[in-house]
Amino acid sequence: GGPRESDDPPNQATPVPAPRHRNRFSNEQLPRPPSFNEADVSDKPAVVRNRRLIPQRRIAGVTENYRQRLESLLAVDEGVAAIVRALSQTGELANTLFVYTSDNGFYHGEHRIPNGKVQVYEPSIRVPLVVRGPGVPRGIRMTQAAINVDLAPTIVDAANARATRTFDGLSLLPLLRNRNTFVGRDVLLETPQYSAVRTPRYVYTE
């Protein structure tokens, strides 16, 4: 969120892209799904019903924040490319498992939430997980539920190692070998604000 840049929206921390990537996405449009700045939130809990519509001035700030997030990831892309080149040059690329994910998602105006991450909606709880390496089929996209506690058992499994503790999660390698695995799996979601269970169809939250 710092240092501040000349095009940062007021009263909002934003990423700081590498100088070489500044304004690369200056024309990128902010996604506006049906949940964006909803006019009717009568079917939502009080935490959303009590929110006012996001004014246009704040939407401009949300848009700039979104663009800067995209720009900041370009340096990550360069870092990944450098790692792949190094592994290729040393002959280790085919023997390396890549795992890229995030700890949480962010809101960009969905359900009248201009930013943040702590409400139990998909923009916050659903994050990408990208895996590449031995035993990982190429070019497939899967929608079964996985969770961050699955990462440790997956890495241990891929390394043919043996864990000395009981895992809370499951290795994802069986799922990669058989795409019918984990169908109907439920996952637990917890923050200081809520506890929830996410099923393939529902979310139950307290």
Side-chain angles (χ1 to χ4, degrees):
R4 295 281 300 172
E5 298 171 288
S6 59
D7 54 351
D8 283 350
N11 304 316
Q12 183 172 335
T14 63
V16 180
R20 63 188 177 279
H21 297 142
R22 279 200 66 189
N23 297 321
R24 287 277 294 273
F25 287 99
S26 59
N27 294 319
E28 188 73 16
Q29 296 300 306
L30 177 70
R32 298 197 179 197
S35 60
F36 180 82
N37 208 21
E38 291 169 287
D40 181 6
V41 291
S42 59
D43 61 334
K44 301 296 187 297
V47 69
V48 174
R49 290 198 311 271
N50 292 339
R51 290 179 174 271
R52 296 181 178 180
L53 284 167
I54 305 172
Q56 190 58 47
R57 182 184 71 259
R58 187 71 190 276
I59 291 175
V62 172
T63 302
E64 180 60 29
N65 186 35
Y66 174 73
R67 291 170 175 168
Q68 291 188 22
R69 281 183 172 150
L70 295 180
E71 291 162 0
S72 70
L73 287 173
L74 292 174
V76 177
D77 289 345
E78 292 174 350
V80 173
I83 292 170
V84 170
R85 284 195 302 270
L87 288 167
S88 181
Q89 291 166 1
T90 58
E92 292 294 335
L93 183 60
N95 195 38
T96 301
L97 181 71
F98 289 81
V99 181
Y100 287 95
T101 188
S102 176
D103 60 344
N104 56 264
F106 288 100
Y107 294 99
H108 295 98
E110 299 89 349
H111 308 299
R112 300 186 182 181
I113 306 172
N115 59 3
K117 59 184 181 181
V118 296
Q119 301 301 328
V120 195
Y121 288 107
E122 297 293 278
S124 175
I125 67 174
R126 191 167 187 160
V127 297
L129 172 62
V130 181
V131 183
R132 177 207 186 278
V136 180
R138 183 175 181 175
I140 64 169
R141 180 171 182 167
M142 309 177 88
T143 59
Q144 288 94 329
I147 198 165
N148 55 2
V149 294
D150 295 332
L151 298 181
T154 300
I155 294 168
V156 168
D157 191 6
N160 293 317
R162 177 172 295 182
T164 58
R165 298 185 179 186
T166 301
F167 286 123
D168 292 324
L170 302 169
S171 171
L172 299 176
L173 294 188
L175 171 62
L176 296 172
R177 290 190 288 265
N178 179 358
R179 299 178 66 180
N180 293 320
T181 307
F182 293 1
V183 174
R185 184 187 187 200
D186 304 334
V187 296
L188 174 67
L189 307 166
E190 290 182 300
T191 76
Q193 288 79 20
Y194 66 77
S195 297
V197 175
R198 172 72 158 81
T199 78
R201 187 174 180 183
Y202 299 107
V203 178
Y204 175 77
T205 307
E206 289 187 353

